[in-house]
Amino acid sequence: MVPKHQRRWPRLEKRLDVLPNQPDNLPNQSGSMHGNGASTLRRRLYVILEAGKTGDRASSIFDLSMVFLILANVIAFAAETDVALAAEYGVAFDLFNLVSIGIFTGEYLLRLWVCIDHPPLRRFGPVVVRFRWALTPSMLIDLAVILPFYLSLLFAIDLRVLRIFRLLRFLKLTRFSPALDTLGRVLYGERRAIFGALIVMFGLLLFSSSIIYALEHEAQPEAFGSVLRSMWWAVATLTTVGYGDIVPITFPGRLFGGLVMLFGLGMFALPIAIISSGFAREIHRRDFVVSWGMVARVSLFQELAPTILADLVEMLEAQVVEPGAVIAHRGDVADAMYFIVVGRVQLKFENRILELSEGDSFGEMALMDERLRSATITTMARCHLLALPAPEFRKLISLHPHARELIQKMIRERGLSAQTDNLENEIVEDRAAEKDT
Amino acid sequence: MVPKHQRRWPRLEKRLDVLPNQPDNLPNQSGSMHGNGASTLRRRLYVILEAGKTGDRASSIFDLSMVFLILANVIAFAAETDVALAAEYGVAFDLFNLVSIGIFTGEYLLRLWVCIDHPPLRRFGPVVVRFRWALTPSMLIDLAVILPFYLSLLFAIDLRVLRIFRLLRFLKLTRFSPALDTLGRVLYGERRAIFGALIVMFGLLLFSSSIIYALEHEAQPEAFGSVLRSMWWAVATLTTVGYGDIVPITFPGRLFGGLVMLFGLGMFALPIAIISSGFAREIHRRDFVVSWGMVARVSLFQELAPTILADLVEMLEAQVVEPGAVIAHRGDVADAMYFIVVGRVQLKFENRILELSEGDSFGEMALMDERLRSATITTMARCHLLALPAPEFRKLISLHPHARELIQKMIRERGLSAQTDNLENEIVEDRAAEKDT
Amino acid sequence: MVPKHQRRWPRLEKRLDVLPNQPDNLPNQSGSMHGNGASTLRRRLYVILEAGKTGDRASSIFDLSMVFLILANVIAFAAETDVALAAEYGVAFDLFNLVSIGIFTGEYLLRLWVCIDHPPLRRFGPVVVRFRWALTPSMLIDLAVILPFYLSLLFAIDLRVLRIFRLLRFLKLTRFSPALDTLGRVLYGERRAIFGALIVMFGLLLFSSSIIYALEHEAQPEAFGSVLRSMWWAVATLTTVGYGDIVPITFPGRLFGGLVMLFGLGMFALPIAIISSGFAREIHRRDFVVSWGMVARVSLFQELAPTILADLVEMLEAQVVEPGAVIAHRGDVADAMYFIVVGRVQLKFENRILELSEGDSFGEMALMDERLRSATITTMARCHLLALPAPEFRKLISLHPHARELIQKMIRERGLSAQTDNLENEIVEDRAAEKDT
Amino acid sequence: MVPKHQRRWPRLEKRLDVLPNQPDNLPNQSGSMHGNGASTLRRRLYVILEAGKTGDRASSIFDLSMVFLILANVIAFAAETDVALAAEYGVAFDLFNLVSIGIFTGEYLLRLWVCIDHPPLRRFGPVVVRFRWALTPSMLIDLAVILPFYLSLLFAIDLRVLRIFRLLRFLKLTRFSPALDTLGRVLYGERRAIFGALIVMFGLLLFSSSIIYALEHEAQPEAFGSVLRSMWWAVATLTTVGYGDIVPITFPGRLFGGLVMLFGLGMFALPIAIISSGFAREIHRRDFVVSWGMVARVSLFQELAPTILADLVEMLEAQVVEPGAVIAHRGDVADAMYFIVVGRVQLKFENRILELSEGDSFGEMALMDERLRSATITTMARCHLLALPAPEFRKLISLHPHARELIQKMIRERGLSAQTDNLENEIVEDRAAEKDT
């Protein structure tokens, strides 16, 4: 049995050479190979700007710098409204604003320039690609951040409107943290429940303010002068904010006020019921932002049509796993397929060990054939993984028969169908051996 | 095997013709066919007023208009109490109120007129039907909205009482949103737990105000003059509203006040424990209001007695499903039976595809015989579905043996017993074929 | 097969005669039959005072009257501290207090008199029984309510101490609602977690007040004069009460204040995490208070030793079930044994129907032999059930081998081992019949 | 079969003698036996200071005294900042501080002296052990508490800095309560989710304060003078603290203020979603602090390398179980292995009973071979147990093959492989007996 193991290891090494785990040669494989200096620079910039979480140092520095620049802009925006600060540091604020607009403009143009290196889009012409790219939500936010400044040079725009657009700079953070995106998805997914809770709250508000108006408006004709004005007290009380600027003073008013406070406790239960479970579930699904650049690095995805890719990006869960963690045990029920964005993973089969790294995927065979895990999978370093859960995997190959064929074809092409198939060969060979004896 | 498929498709098309998926001919099938103009108009109005979510444009416009009219009434009610606004726009408010009463009266009378087209009630005479209809909760709310106005024309009614009845207009929203209804059901279902939590809160309130009274009433004889007065501070503190109009000032008073604030945190846990889990569960059971008109459109239900129908409406879960979603996979355990209110659904059997639309039902065979799903079910468009979960299904056919017979009879009558039975035929035929060879 | 059914029904009726489903003849069976008037009255009073939830009208009226009397006492206590009210209605308050003490004394003495009719205690002499009974928590609370009044007649007691003892009247409600008892059990069960949360809160409070003291005590030497004084602000802010009587005014103070408010949000999560899940679980375990009188009505329990009974009362879950609800389906896994306190239940076996009522138990056979339910169990009326969940059942018969023997003996004695055994007989008979043919 | 039982009992008793359930002879077994008075004292002090929860009276008294001393220090720290108190009791505060520092210093030095008796570290020389011990987190906190005092004798240190270090005394509590440690682990484990929630909150805060600034800064140029200043209102409102020192007064400002309050309700849901579920899960994992001294008492662990032990201490769950509780039933799926820190446990096999006490472990056989429990395990007294859950057990023996060998070797060495193996022997013997007949 020993020669069989020796035969296998070189095959694996060859495979690791072929897989795109060197970030800088990825566009070479898939881009339009004209090979001049500009194109080399563009490919390098593509990795820095779009690939994300590749372990590339320049990319990490760029991301961090942008996050700090955005936060500095937001703080500057808040500080600049202070008359004293504006008077003293007005020039500095203006300069910082100009520099920021410059950097944001440069970033926008660069992103537009390098996007044609995005593998799933390479089948279209450069103009079409850049037009489609400019219409993605992230690029539209980037445009909304810089456009008002240039328009204000051409037309006279109200300063207030300009300020509101400056607030949008905060939204640029969605490119770097999954939190705002996650909250957005939770609120969208629960929109009917939230609308329902709002109706309940509005009803409670209406009845509270109507009754307190009836009880208090004679004693305090100013504060409780109408149902509309009483709503200010009602909303502050029901949400338990309780400013105390307006309080009931009559005995029946206070009695009813006490009831309203107790109802307020119940009102808390509604948004918590709706948002907390959804948010807790979603926030653990995405430890980092899944960018198209990341997905494009997985060899399996490079042949998929952009429409399928768009579905796929939504389905993927992004997990950061500490080194030494056991992702799956041999014999477990397979519940997901994994793609390695950064890090190394060890697969321990019954009688041999395999190491996978960036760009590799594992676990698809067990999902495809609904078999148990044939290896214990342990992380060898801090890993960023993309997981495609079993139900989403089945949904994908059920909605897109083309994806199924591609996965099956790729498993066949790979030859060794890394994780599982060897084991079966061995079993088959063992059985053959048993027959021989 | 090819001719067998060809033989089956026409049968399905014939069936789709027979099923009531054209809203306007539904009453024709089941109503008393006198065929004159008034009856045609009544049938059309029945669809607009009562059928709901039928994809009927007039019905949607009517629903939306009513929601806006109700909200406008509520806002007008709140604004009218403002002396300044009442002085300036008093005539407009009065006019708007008159017009609204007119529309609500018309709506009430129309609903009473068309209700005899409600299929499950058609066995009774028109007077009996209208009397029973007028006693349903929704109709009683509608009556409470308009009646006080007419009574005030006959008798002198206190303006305050009239105002409280005007608040009831808000409750008309229950006909259009399931949120208030859902909350009501949660509060009813958890009434014992809520009563228990109220006793705990009342106890906490009593002990807090008694002890703070003992500690503070000498230092602040006005604010903490008695246990009853101290309760105002205690309730504002325990609910964390904290107006700050009355605060303890002595050292022991503040020490105890700090403890009361900490207890307040625990008090929040009680309603959250009780309401949130129940509300989260219930709010997802009903994405829209299930009306009798909706249920009446399902051919399966038209033979059921009104008493069984009333049970059934309570059991149904109403779900909005996006296009392309997989409702069930072939081989899944059957957990519910479905009725299509709006939209199209595709059933993918092993070797053929079936499409179902409005008024159709699917999944009842798998529930009846406790078998696995024989088709993968995918939505082809945005669907409004009514789901009858398996335990409720079993409860229904266990409590009402008549319902069981009806479902079995209907499956038999349909001939092709659409979703599942064909498969069995095929298996039988395949076996026969195997024998032949 | 028909004669077999006829043969069985009379047996069942006979059994229903024997079972103690007539409240008034229960003590007759188990008490010391001296049969004179006083003893008859005592037995009747036992049912009214202690048996609870028996459907006995006098018992319900007594319970309700006591709840109202207790609440009236609590309100009177709160109102009496008001100087104006005390001056005007002082005599009325004193009178009401005297009458209440009289009633509570009478109740206490009556409970002490009738307790010897409590079946599990009948093996002891009257004096021992009464002494043991007087030491139960409920009786000690009752004593604490009346004793201070009588002591105040003998000795001069400080009015404040007397008032605190009057507050204890509220605790008498624990006899009638399971809420306070439930909360107590949750707090006891989670005492380590609550202690842990309190340490976290105290630490947060300490650090907040120390830092705000450092930042603000120069600007506001009065309000933030020391760490101790700053704690008043810190506790009001961390619990989000926010009186607003003391607020930071310097820029660093407000910056840190903002952080403390955000920490406050996190502090809410701790008690909610600890109390809410425990309370939600516990509150549904007990829809009503389980009294010894209730347990004593179940024939199965009358032979059990008081120590086992005490364990059992803790284990039982008390559920109110609406009519028509299905408690278990034929073929379900048995998860609990049930005792009927009030109401009727129908057991539907494969080919016959059985009705059980007050005092009966069902489901113990399936638990004993770990078999599936052999009947579908439906409530025929609103039922108060005591459920002994499977793990508790196993714990009981594992800790008390005597209980196991008793249950087995009782099943044997009953003859028909009502719910399940018949079915087996039938199967046996059917097999015999099959052999015959 | 009777002689076989008799043969077994003495074997068990012998084993109980050998196991280290007498705290004072534990270091004797494992320490470096030089046997003079200092070493005996050191061993005794090791048990008192480090072993924890051993049922040793001196150890419990020491722990409790330390907890009270720490709390007294914290209260003194808070009180001392009060000018009036400091003036009156200044000398007493200084004296108490000096005494405390003395006790803490003594404690620190003693811990450093006795640590060489810690079994897993005995393979290193005393200097290396003490250096490694001094670098553990608990020892570093202890050092940080005493060092500033000694440094202030040598150098002039700002009183404020000294005060902040005095606050650290509170952190000494982590040695005695698992709560702070638990919260720390939850916050670390959920750091990405918390960071995400903070971004959402910061965004909400930014938009709220920007818009309220736009709406209110003309009406209240002081309070809402800039976006930065408006943030004070926004944070107090969003967190529902609601001081009421600054409130919007214009109509649009109040309208928007009402919306912000409602958003505040949603903001509560985020930390509750993140922290509460994690905290509720973690707080029940550790009823007491797991110290190395505890783990060192378990015979099984004394051969493990310190690196494995460090992993193990993290994996163990610490549970307090009341007497009479059933930990596992015969036939249950094995989900954990247990170690007894304090208390006695009874294992009831099919036909015999075994009693285990401090230092013993049970349940490892069932985990090792993935078999069902062969005994019902009941606590005979209040027990402190360390549980190693099945997934952690598998992880441990998968990451450290040496640990697997040790466990297997120990089971073999023990001879009777206490809990499970006998049963199998019996079955084997029974089968043999059956063959004989």
Side-chain angles (χ1 to χ4, degrees), chain A residues 298-335:
Chain A
V298 177
S299 53
L300 194 64
F301 297 153
Q302 295 182 14
E303 307 254 339
L304 291 177
T307 50
I308 305 181
L309 265 190
D311 274 14
L312 191 70
V313 166
E314 281 301 299
M315 289 170 177
L316 286 169
E317 302 184 356
Q319 301 169 345
V320 177
V321 185
E322 299 302 318
V326 178
I327 296 169
H329 285 275
R330 201 181 141 81
D332 283 1
V333 173
D335 56 354

Side-chain angles (χ1 to χ4, degrees), chain D residues 116-322:
Chain D
I116 56 167
D117 276 325
H118 197 63
L121 296 172
R122 68 182 172 232
R123 66 192 67 184
F124 306 105
V127 179
V128 176
V129 166
R130 280 176 180 132
F131 184 73
R132 289 174 72 134
W133 196 246
L135 293 178
T136 56
S138 297
M139 288 302 276
L140 287 176
I141 289 174
D142 284 3
L143 187 63
V145 163
I146 54 171
L147 203 61
F149 174 79
Y150 295 106
L151 290 178
S152 72
L153 299 181
L154 301 174
F155 315 101
I157 301 179
D158 187 3
L159 208 76
R160 287 185 191 174
V161 177
L162 272 181
R163 259 184 193 150
I164 285 162
F165 275 97
R166 279 178 67 188
L167 257 182
L168 291 181
R169 292 180 194 177
F170 183 78
L171 293 184
K172 277 176 78 88
L173 280 180
T174 49
R175 210 189 266 277
F176 305 101
S177 161
L180 289 171
D181 187 48
T182 297
L183 188 72
R185 258 185 301 150
V186 171
L187 295 182
Y188 179 79
E190 302 282 346
R191 63 194 179 283
R192 281 192 201 83
I194 289 169
F195 182 73
L198 283 177
I199 283 190
V200 169
M201 286 176 181
F202 186 64
L204 217 52
L205 195 59
L206 183 75
F207 282 84
S208 303
S209 50
S210 301
I211 295 172
I212 201 76
Y213 161 74
L215 297 173
E216 284 282 325
H217 86 280
E218 275 174 34
Q220 302 188 73
E222 187 58 38
F224 295 93
S226 72
V227 171
L228 266 189
R229 284 197 206 171
S230 306
M231 275 190 185
W232 176 245
W233 170 84
V235 72
T237 302
L238 278 170
T239 59
T240 80
V241 168
Y243 286 129
D245 53 343
I246 301 174
V247 288
I249 51 171
T250 67
F251 179 74
R254 290 200 162 184
L255 201 67
F256 180 73
L259 284 176
V260 170
M261 290 180 215
L262 288 174
F263 280 128
L265 295 191
M267 263 180 72
F268 263 86
L270 301 189
I272 285 167
I274 295 164
I275 297 174
S276 74
S277 63
F279 191 73
R281 199 175 49 237
E282 281 289 320
I283 200 84
H284 289 118
R285 274 194 50 209
R286 295 252 164 140
D287 281 342
F288 52 87
V289 179
V290 179
S291 71
W292 274 40
M294 230 170 260
V295 174
R297 287 171 49 75
V298 177
S299 53
L300 195 65
F301 297 153
Q302 295 182 15
E303 308 254 338
L304 291 177
T307 52
I308 305 181
L309 264 190
D311 274 16
L312 190 70
V313 166
E314 281 301 298
M315 289 170 176
L316 287 169
E317 301 183 357
Q319 301 169 345
V320 178
V321 186
E322 299 301 318

Side-chain angles (χ1 to χ4, degrees), chain A residues 74-329:
Chain A
V74 164
I75 292 168
F77 161 79
E80 207 178 343
T81 54
D82 190 282
V83 182
L85 287 172
E88 200 166 353
Y89 304 104
V91 183
F93 281 129
D94 287 350
L95 199 70
F96 178 69
N97 195 22
L98 274 176
V99 170
S100 297
I101 286 286
I103 293 171
F104 291 150
T105 309
E107 183 210 355
Y108 182 78
L109 294 176
L110 280 178
R111 284 191 193 276
L112 217 53
W113 182 45
V114 304
C115 72
I116 57 166
D117 275 326
H118 197 64
L121 295 172
R122 71 186 169 229
R123 68 192 66 184
F124 306 104
V127 178
V128 176
V129 167
R130 280 178 179 130
F131 184 72
R132 288 174 72 133
W133 197 245
L135 293 178
T136 57
S138 297
M139 290 301 277
L140 287 175
I141 290 175
D142 284 2
L143 188 63
V145 164
I146 54 171
L147 203 61
F149 174 79
Y150 296 105
L151 290 179
S152 74
L153 299 180
L154 301 175
F155 315 100
I157 300 179
D158 187 3
L159 207 76
R160 286 186 190 175
V161 176
L162 271 181
R163 260 185 192 149
I164 284 163
F165 275 97
R166 279 178 65 189
L167 256 183
L168 292 181
R169 291 178 196 180
F170 183 78
L171 293 183
K172 277 177 79 86
L173 279 181
T174 51
R175 210 189 266 278
F176 304 101
S177 160
L180 289 170
D181 187 48
T182 297
L183 188 70
R185 256 185 302 149
V186 171
L187 296 181
Y188 179 78
E190 302 283 345
R191 62 194 180 283
R192 281 192 201 85
I194 289 169
F195 182 73
L198 284 177
I199 282 189
V200 170
M201 286 176 181
F202 186 64
L204 217 52
L205 196 58
L206 183 75
F207 281 83
S208 302
S209 48
S210 302
I211 295 171
I212 201 76
Y213 161 75
L215 298 174
E216 284 281 325
H217 88 280
E218 275 174 34
Q220 301 188 73
E222 187 58 36
F224 296 94
S226 72
V227 172
L228 265 190
R229 284 199 205 170
S230 305
M231 275 191 185
W232 176 245
W233 170 84
V235 73
T237 302
L238 278 170
T239 59
T240 81
V241 167
Y243 287 130
D245 54 343
I246 301 173
V247 288
I249 51 171
T250 66
F251 180 73
R254 292 199 161 183
L255 202 68
F256 181 72
L259 285 175
V260 171
M261 291 180 215
L262 288 175
F263 280 129
L265 296 191
M267 265 180 71
F268 263 86
L270 302 187
I272 284 167
I274 295 164
I275 298 175
S276 73
S277 63
F279 191 73
R281 200 176 50 239
E282 280 289 320
I283 200 84
H284 289 119
R285 274 194 50 208
R286 296 252 164 142
D287 281 342
F288 52 88
V289 178
V290 180
S291 72
W292 273 40
M294 230 171 262
V295 174
R297 286 171 50 76
V298 177
S299 53
L300 194 64
F301 297 153
Q302 295 182 14
E303 307 254 339
L304 291 177
T307 50
I308 305 181
L309 265 190
D311 274 14
L312 191 70
V313 166
E314 281 301 299
M315 289 170 177
L316 286 169
E317 302 184 356
Q319 301 169 345
V320 177
V321 185
E322 299 302 318
V326 178
I327 296 169
H329 285 275

Side-chain angles (χ1 to χ4, degrees), chain B residues 188-197 199-200 202-204 206-207 210-211 213-214 217-218 225-229 231 233 236-248 251 253-255 257-259 261-262 264-270 272-274 277 391 394-395 398-399, chain C residues 71 74-75 77-79 81-85 160 163-164 167-168 170-171 173 177 179-180 183 198 201 205 223 228-229 232 235-246 264 267-268 271-272 275-277 279-280 283-284 287-288 320-322 324-326 329 348 376 378 382 384:
Chain B
Y188 179 77
E190 302 282 345
R191 63 194 181 282
R192 280 191 202 87
I194 289 168
F195 182 72
I199 282 189
V200 170
F202 186 64
L204 217 52
L206 182 75
F207 281 83
S210 301
I211 295 172
Y213 161 75
H217 87 280
E218 274 173 35
S226 73
V227 172
L228 265 189
R229 284 199 205 170
M231 274 191 184
W233 170 85
T237 302
L238 278 169
T239 58
T240 81
V241 168
Y243 287 130
D245 54 343
I246 300 174
V247 287
F251 179 74
R254 290 198 163 184
L255 201 70
L259 285 175
M261 291 179 214
L262 289 174
L265 297 191
M267 265 181 70
F268 263 86
L270 302 188
I272 285 167
I274 295 164
S277 64
R394 278 195 284 272
K395 202 170 153 191
S398 133
L399 285 177
Chain C
L71 289 177
V74 163
I75 292 167
F77 162 79
T81 55
D82 191 282
V83 183
L85 287 173
R160 287 185 191 174
R163 258 182 194 152
I164 285 165
L167 258 182
L168 292 180
F170 183 78
L171 293 183
L173 279 181
S177 161
L180 289 171
L183 187 71
L198 284 177
M201 286 177 181
L205 195 59
L228 267 189
R229 286 198 205 169
W232 177 246
V235 72
T237 302
L238 279 170
T239 57
T240 81
V241 168
Y243 287 130
D245 53 343
I246 301 174
M267 264 181 72
F268 264 85
I272 285 166
I275 299 175
S276 73
S277 63
F279 191 73
I283 200 84
H284 289 119
D287 282 343
F288 52 87
V320 177
V321 186
E322 299 301 319
V326 177
H329 285 275
K348 204 165 154 188
T376 295
T378 319
R382 202 151 175 276
H384 290 82

Side-chain angles (χ1 to χ4, degrees), chain B residues 380-414:
Chain B
M380 308 293 285
R382 201 149 177 279
C383 286
H384 291 81
L385 300 177
L386 298 177
L388 183 64
E392 312 286 337
F393 179 87
R394 278 195 284 272
K395 202 170 153 191
L396 183 81
I397 61 176
S398 133
L399 285 177
H400 304 289
H402 182 63
R404 171 174 224 134
E405 283 162 34
L406 257 168
I407 294 173
Q408 282 173 331
K409 188 185 128 213
M410 242 158 255
I411 290 169
R412 255 177 284 121
E413 272 178 3
R414 272 187 187 184

